[in-house]
Amino acid sequence: MDFNDTPEQAAFRKAAADWLAANVPSKDEIEGMSRLEVAKLWQKRKYDAGWACIGWDPAYGGRGASAIEQVIWKQEEAKYNVPAGFFVIGQGMMAPTLMAYAQPQHLERYLPKLASGEEIWCQLFSEPAGGSDLAALRTKAEKDGDEWVINGQKIWTSGAHYSDYGCVVVRTDPNVPKHKGLSYFFIDMKSPGIEIKPIKQLTGESDFNEVYFTDVRVPDSQRLGEVGQGWQVSLTTLMNERAAIGAGSSGVNVDLAVQLAKEVMIDGKPAIEDSAVKARLANFYVEEAGLKYTSYRTLSALSRGDIPGPENSIGKLVGAPKMQQLASFCMDLLETSGAIWDTKRSKLADNIIGSYMGAPGLRIAGGTDEIMTNIIAERVLGLPQEPRMDKGIPFTEVPTG
């Protein structure tokens, strides 16, 4: 495969680069604004100019760009320090699920506001009693006329405290095997009965939340997929989630590590001249290149109309540990100064320490390393499944405690 730009792609790259150079918000423009406010400003500016969610149908706020054009746009945008994380879940995971299962009127209502950043979405999957086994969830929904009444608790819900909508998986039939008794809804996060409690993290931030549901009502029209089809709908979300997380597009990378190795000294010489440092950097480069081209394969599949497959777990399984190991390597290069987490003193160290503190959570988010390994073994390689005590029996008869 030739990764050099064709003349058409080169013209697209120039147009993207020119627009970015003229429109990325300046430091003076965003002075005093919160990260969320800056993110919304940037997203709306892209949307108004036709550069938001460029792979989407123009009817929903995109520009119908090809998979390769999406790669080019991401490469050019990545050259700037602009916020994007607030919209990853909604645009990268919820939107593909809506496109696959929502009614046309819902697509017209919600997708443009997702693309413009006017509305933010979260993903309500994990539960305290479920661990990494999503199908073990216990939050339930009971039918009442044209509505469902939800009771239960979710946890580790990223961005719930600033989200407008969320997708939630609940148990609607406990008397069938666990994977068959689930249903999937999207819900207004300001609905009566929803209580959100932020969780303090190692990084000092509170990006995750506990979310409690007490007699929360959701219309049946906001169900995605058939009743009892929630597991299949969830897989669409999860495959897109692993594609988004696995790429490891944010945080510390090899370029930053090389820059650091040129600046710090070992035995009176730049660390970049140390053979052990060079060997580690080379290994990290190989991993990063593999992740990049694996993500290109995913984009190519999407451009053909395919949905992301279980092979995306490879990117998640390799990308998160790579970030943790690379951040740890950079912390070693920083020596004792690595303990200083002060953006005014060192933006370079800030990125490294942030990745070092955040990477363990990344290895859990969207499925742990162990879950990813099982998926690759069973669904990619076709190896025999592990023995499962709960297979084929009603959820109410699954042994607990």
Side-chain angles (χ1 to χ4, degrees):
M1 182 177 289
D2 183 1
F3 289 109
N4 294 316
D5 288 347
T6 64
E8 293 78 14
Q9 291 163 359
F12 179 87
R13 186 184 297 279
K14 184 178 186 308
D18 289 347
W19 187 85
L20 284 162
N23 288 281
V24 168
S26 66
K27 289 184 179 179
D28 290 341
E29 186 179 4
I30 61 175
E31 181 69 28
M33 296 174 68
S34 68
R35 287 195 305 152
L36 179 58
E37 290 171 334
V38 174
K40 288 204 166 194
L41 167 72
W42 177 232
Q43 190 63 32
K44 184 64 165 55
R45 185 167 296 179
K46 289 191 294 183
Y47 177 80
D48 289 341
W51 289 107
C53 302
I54 64 172
W56 293 11
D57 189 319
Y60 304 137
R63 61 190 294 150
S66 69
I68 300 304
E69 287 172 338
Q70 293 177 64
V71 171
I72 291 172
W73 169 257
K74 287 183 178 180
Q75 289 174 340
E76 294 302 316
E77 188 180 23
K79 296 176 180 176
Y80 298 88
N81 183 24
V82 289
F86 295 99
F87 307 111
V88 168
I89 293 174
Q91 295 173 356
M93 306 169 203
M94 302 297 101
T97 309
L98 290 170
M99 291 176 190
Y101 291 98
Q103 301 172 29
Q105 63 269 30
H106 288 150
L107 299 179
E108 295 171 3
R109 158 63 182 85
Y110 295 104
L111 291 183
K113 291 182 184 295
L114 264 169
S116 69
E118 182 177 344
E119 293 176 346
I120 299 177
W121 287 50
C122 62
Q123 175 200 45
L124 298 145
F125 278 20
S126 298
E127 295 193 5
S132 292
D133 185 3
L134 173 61
L137 63 86
R138 294 181 177 276
T139 295
K140 64 180 181 180
E142 297 174 301
K143 191 79 182 294
D144 183 16
D146 292 332
E147 295 180 324
W148 293 80
V149 181
I150 301 176
N151 282 282
Q153 180 192 356
K154 298 291 180 176
I155 196 169
W156 310 123
T157 306
S158 302
H161 53 306
Y162 53 71
S163 288
D164 302 284
Y165 291 89
C167 285
V168 59
V169 188
V170 294
R171 188 163 302 283
T172 49
D173 187 352
N175 298 310
V176 296
K178 62 181 184 179
H179 290 88
K180 296 182 178 179
L182 307 177
S183 297
Y184 192 116
F185 298 88
F186 67 88
I187 190 167
D188 185 341
M189 290 300 291
K190 306 299 187 299
S191 300
I194 293 181
E195 182 182 8
I196 300 168
K197 295 183 177 180
I199 299 171
K200 194 74 170 181
Q201 303 161 218
L202 181 65
T203 59
E205 304 291 336
S206 295
D207 298 322
F208 308 139
N209 302 270
E210 296 175 285
V211 181
Y212 295 86
F213 293 81
T214 305
D215 295 331
V216 177
R217 290 184 170 271
V218 57
D220 186 58
S221 60
Q222 291 182 194
R223 173 169 41 81
L224 301 180
E226 301 297 325
V227 175
Q229 196 187 7
W231 179 251
Q232 287 73 23
V233 183
S234 300
L235 290 180
T236 300
T237 305
L238 292 172
M239 290 302 106
N240 284 285
E241 178 183 46
R242 286 155 194 168
I245 295 175
S249 56
S250 61
V252 64
N253 56 33
V254 171
D255 289 341
L256 188 147
V258 170
Q259 179 185 344
L260 177 66
K262 291 178 180 176
E263 295 178 3
V264 302
M265 308 293 282
I266 294 179
D267 296 332
K269 296 180 179 179
I272 195 70
E273 296 181 13
D274 185 276
S275 58
V277 170
K278 287 190 287 188
R280 291 291 303 279
L281 288 171
N283 286 332
F284 286 126
Y285 174 81
V286 169
E287 283 188 298
E288 198 163 286
L291 286 168
K292 180 174 71 174
Y293 293 117
T294 298
S295 70
Y296 286 3
R297 290 177 58 190
T298 299
L299 286 173
S300 297
L302 290 171
S303 71
R304 295 193 300 267
D306 299 337
I307 62 173
E311 62 274 13
N312 281 302
S313 298
I314 297 171
K316 170 72 169 63
L317 182 62
V318 176
K322 191 270 292 181
M323 177 184 288
Q324 186 174 16
Q325 292 160 11
L326 184 54
S328 179
F329 170 71
C330 291
M331 290 286 282
D332 287 342
L333 290 179
L334 286 168
E335 297 183 325
T336 54
S337 63
I340 302 173
W341 194 350
D342 187 336
T343 57
K344 294 180 181 178
R345 295 177 183 275
S346 174
K347 290 186 177 179
L348 190 66
D350 177 59
N351 192 348
I352 293 167
I353 298 171
S355 298
Y356 183 75
M357 295 293 189
L362 195 63
R363 296 182 68 170
I364 298 172
T368 63
D369 292 355
E370 291 76 12
I371 292 293
M372 296 299 106
T373 303
N374 267 352
I375 290 172
I376 293 167
E378 296 177 3
R379 300 184 59 200
V380 178
L381 300 177
L383 301 180
Q385 292 186 347
E386 290 187 339
R388 286 167 183 161
M389 299 296 293
D390 57 3
K391 188 173 183 179
I393 64 174
F395 183 70
T396 52
E397 298 178 14
V398 174
T400 60

